[in-house]
Structure formats: structure tokens, C-alpha cells
Amino acid sequence: MRHQLPSARSTRLLAAGLAAGLLLAGCSAAASPGGSSGSAGSKGGGSTTLSYLTFETPSLTTSFWDTSIADGEKAVPGLSIKKLIAPSTDRDAYAKQLQASGQFPDLLQSITPSTFVQAGLLKPYDQSWVNANFLLPMGNAYKGKVYIPPTNSQIIPMVFYNKTLFGKAGLSQPPKTWADFMADCAALKKAGITPIELGGGDPFSASMPLTGILSADVLGKDPNWLQERYAGKVKFTDANVETAVAKYRTMAKNGYFEDGALGVKYADSITNFTSGKAAMYMMGSWFLGSVPKDHADDFGAFMTPTDDGSLVVPFAVGGSMAISAKTPAPDKATAFAEAWSLDPANYKALIEGDGAFPMLKGKTLADYNVTVSQVFKDSYAYVTDQNTKVSSIGWASNDDAMPSGLNDAYYAASQALFSSDDVAGQMAKLDSAWNAATR
């Protein structure tokens, strides 16, 4: 579900051509322990087994992967796929683990290319194929090359809200400014309603509020901030960053998240929100796939509010699978990856089940024969409309991706700041981790 912008600093990016969009992750192949075997390297004919690293979520189930893999195999005669499943949503960490044990997959779904490209582990796609098929062909390119087809996009996070609970608190519309947002949280709490659900037990999920605030307040005003951080021109300890982070502390200190939020797992946070235990939920747009169909009209979505009410969309172009540069069957691996990345059945499943915004050229939402909620259509409009889009901090897979390992430090800071007032200390830790990772 990881999911960014052409070179990250985008503002009025999409406009013209966007009529649809989507994000995904990978597979792999290997010889023996976890990988490939057979007549590797042969093009057509023979028997080749490649490993494919996938991951499962409440939306991307075993059934989805098995079906999509079977369809992809049909497009490549003589190829069998050995499915690997990451034990958590952290595909990068598991891929590193497999690499360390000599089992780096042949195909890897939804990983962060920058984490592996520098080690020479990934093979870029043919640019002419990418240009021919996708709306933002360089949307997730790293150092000028595309390592995962930019099949889809996501907004990370959106603020989903329960209209019925808003009504019980006397709120008739979503907030426009940060002050409105805080006032609404206070009104919900006063009405006995938990303002915001937080799945703080899973690190990536715990970071969603901070990601929304930093993307809106810091990248919204300086879309080049991440590149400037690489250049050493800005720091996490800068006053504007600490001011933004302090907003998250205010939310936690004021009791706007549920009690014991750091013990709530991601999957449980979805259930809590959809069952009406909290009024709002800051999560990636993939939550759209979990909106209850029987009362979907109860749900709406808005962007993390800014101080002046200006709209900032934290955007990420994701994609399907990366190809190992070490695979013994690069032709078959590429053929499978390309077939999978263009398969209409996969898009339909991802749009309906994972809330993915498709990015294929020449398609409208109707072309995918999907049934989606009004909140999906309203959310998708943020992608297709001309507006201010910036990289979602921590989720970019292009040149704005954080240095390898930084996401873990970022997640840890998010969890620590739930109960600690030491904003400066946590930001100093992030600066130190960044400097160490880029040294």
C-alpha cells in the first residue's frame, strides 16, 4: 500500500490528463530456498519458477494475490510463481531480510526502490513501455529511472469522518482550517465521542497524523523541503517543523485520540472507526476499500487542514512490482510484471478493495467496471483536480523518499510523541538518524 510524485515537489501536478489512478506492491522469485529455478533465462518454453514477494492486508487478501498471480502466469508460458508473503506491511524490511539470507525475491511488490537501487538489486523498466501506458510515467521514478510501474496513486493521509457522529456533536460540515479542526475535536469530545481513531500499535499507522500535519504545513509551504534536507539546507529541528509537530502533541495532550491508542493495532483501528467508535480517522486513501457498503454515505473525507485553510494534498504515486536485477529469468520476470501491471481485473480489485486511484492512460473510472462509494468518487477528485499536491512525507518512492532506515526512526518518533512533550529531542533524533543514513 505504499504509495508519490514525479520528483516530489509538485504542486499543480495533474490537471490535464488525469482521469484515473492506482498503487500496489511486489513479488519475487529465487532459486531453491526462496526463489527461482528451472530453465531460467529462457524466453518462452521450458519451466521456470520465480519468487514474488507480496503482502496481505484486510483488503489485499490471499484470494486476491492467488487470482492475480494465476492470471499473470497465463500470460507467460512456462512460468510458475512462488508467492512469498511479508510477515507485516513493512515489505522493505522483509526484503532486506531475504537479501541477507540469499533469498532476494525475483519480483517485489510495493517496496521502496531507493532502498535497494543503490545496492544494484533492481532492474529498471523499459521507459518506452512506461511512457506508453501510464499517466504520470515518472511519478515514482528514482534517479531518472522507473523501478515500479506507476499503476496507481494514493493520498496519504486523508481525514475520513463519520457524518452521523459529526451531527450528534452539532457539526454540519468538515473543518476548513486547523483552528476549525481543533474546535471540532473539542466539540466531539464534549459530546462524549472519541474525536480521532488511531491504530498506534502499528508504527506506520501511528505516524499518520504526523504525516498529514508535516505534509500540509512544511511541504505545503516548501515542496522542495525533502530535497533541501538532503542538501543539508533544512533540518527537522527547524522552528517551522517543530511548530508543526507540536500540533500533533496538542492533539494527544487534549485527549483527541482514543484511550490506549498506542495499543490499538491497525486492523482493529479500521474496525473501531467503521463501527462508529470514533468520529475521524487519519489514514491512507486505501481505507476507502474498507468503507462499509451498507452505510457508505455516512462517511466523508477531507485533507489535513492548514492554518489558513489552503488545500494541500499529500500525494504518492505507487505502483506494482519491482524486478530483481539478479533474477535468472529477466525476460519472464518482466513479462509477468508487465502483464500483471496492465491486467484490468487487478485494477478492479484494487480500486474496489484497496481504494487505489488508477493511473492508466486513456481510461476513466467507468472503464474499470467498478462499483465505488460516493466518498471514493469525492476522494478521487482530489487526484484528478488541479490543486496543490506535495509528496506525502515518509511515503514517497521517488527522489523524495526518505533515506533507507529513516522511516523506522520517523515511526518511532511518532509513537514517542504520543506521550512525550520532548518535540525538540525527537526531532534532533531524526536529524541524527538522517545524517547517519546519508553519510
Side-chain angles (χ1 to χ4, degrees):
M1 73 209 145
R2 180 167 282 268
H3 333 288
Q4 254 64 32
L5 278 185
S7 109
R9 43 223 104 162
S10 65
T11 51
R12 307 174 187 287
L13 267 193
L14 298 185
L18 266 194
L22 211 189
L23 267 182
L24 269 192
C27 348
S28 76
S32 47
S36 32
S37 62
S39 58
S42 63
K43 185 175 183 179
S47 177
T48 300
T49 300
L50 299 178
S51 58
Y52 176 25
L53 176 60
T54 65
F55 63 99
E56 294 183 354
T57 70
S59 301
L60 302 179
T61 63
T62 299
S63 175
F64 164 75
W65 292 112
D66 289 348
T67 300
S68 69
I69 289 171
D71 289 344
E73 287 173 327
K74 293 175 185 174
V76 189
L79 176 65
S80 294
I81 292 294
K82 177 181 179 180
K83 183 182 69 173
L84 307 178
I85 305 172
S88 73
T89 53
D90 191 344
R91 285 87 63 185
D92 290 350
Y94 191 55
K96 288 178 183 177
Q97 183 179 329
L98 292 173
Q99 179 202 356
S101 60
Q103 302 177 79
F104 193 64
D106 297 297
L107 299 155
L108 307 94
Q109 188 78 19
S110 299
I111 60 166
T112 306
S114 60
T115 300
F116 304 97
V117 168
Q118 292 180 356
L121 293 171
L122 301 183
K123 170 183 177 296
Y125 281 81
D126 176 76
Q127 192 61 49
S128 62
W129 176 79
V130 176
N131 292 342
N133 289 289
F134 302 103
L135 288 168
L136 288 176
M138 301 302 285
N140 57 19
Y142 178 70
K143 304 296 185 187
K145 294 184 179 179
V146 175
Y147 294 94
I148 50 177
T151 54
N152 60 292
S153 65
Q154 296 190 344
I155 299 172
I156 312 168
M158 303 185 77
V159 187
F160 298 96
Y161 72 103
N162 183 312
K163 295 177 182 178
T164 298
L165 295 182
F166 261 48
K168 288 181 178 178
L171 307 175
S172 59
Q173 59 185 12
K176 298 290 186 185
T177 67
W178 183 260
D180 293 342
F181 186 35
M182 292 298 94
D184 288 355
C185 286
L188 288 159
K189 185 179 178 183
K190 186 177 180 180
I193 299 167
T194 299
I196 305 173
E197 176 67 33
L198 180 68
D202 280 308
F204 88 89
S205 180
S207 73
M208 284 295 165
L210 196 56
T211 297
I213 294 168
L214 288 175
S215 297
D217 282 13
V218 178
L219 274 72
K221 293 177 180 176
D222 181 5
N224 295 317
W225 192 89
L226 285 161
Q227 293 304 307
E228 292 169 1
R229 183 62 190 84
Y230 273 105
K233 296 179 180 177
V234 298
K235 302 189 300 293
F236 284 98
T237 48
D238 288 347
N240 63 323
V241 181
E242 292 190 357
T243 297
V245 175
K247 288 182 172 181
Y248 171 57
R249 267 305 293 154
T250 297
M251 295 167 71
K253 289 170 67 174
N254 288 356
Y256 293 160
F257 299 110
E258 68 200 288
D259 292 338
L262 287 187
V264 178
K265 302 298 288 183
Y266 165 60
D268 294 329
S269 70
I270 295 174
T271 302
N272 289 345
F273 178 60
T274 55
S275 63
K277 293 182 178 178
M280 291 181 280
Y281 187 41
M282 300 178 78
M283 186 47 63
S285 50
W286 54 82
F287 169 74
L288 290 163
S290 299
V291 171
K293 292 181 174 55
D294 59 348
H295 58 114
D297 288 344
D298 277 350
F299 296 89
F302 57 93
M303 297 296 111
T304 301
T306 56
D307 290 333
D308 62 4
S310 57
L311 177 67
V312 178
V313 179
F315 189 64
V317 175
S320 58
M321 66 195 77
I323 303 171
S324 169
K326 311 294 185 184
T327 180
D331 290 344
K332 288 189 174 180
T334 299
F336 175 84
E338 292 183 352
W340 195 103
S341 300
L342 298 179
D343 187 342
N346 290 340
Y347 283 82
K348 178 177 172 59
L350 289 166
I351 293 168
E352 293 181 336
D354 203 39
F357 301 134
M359 301 292 283
L360 273 180
K361 275 185 176 178
K363 301 283 188 182
T364 67
L365 203 53
D367 292 327
Y368 297 100
N369 190 31
V370 293
T371 300
V372 296
S373 61
Q374 187 59 48
V375 67
F376 180 98
K377 295 175 183 175
D378 294 343
S379 299
Y380 187 41
Y382 286 112
V383 176
T384 57
D385 285 353
Q386 185 170 16
N387 51 36
T388 299
K389 296 180 177 68
V390 301
S391 285
S392 173
I393 190 167
W395 289 88
S397 54
N398 55 17
D399 292 336
D400 275 353
M402 285 187 176
S404 180
L406 234 292
N407 280 69
D408 290 339
Y410 177 68
Y411 297 154
S414 301
Q415 290 181 311
L417 287 166
F418 185 82
S419 53
S420 170
D421 282 322
D422 188 12
V423 171
Q426 290 298 325
M427 293 302 99
K429 286 183 179 178
L430 279 183
D431 277 326
S432 295
W434 186 293
N435 294 338
T438 55
R439 190 168 297 146

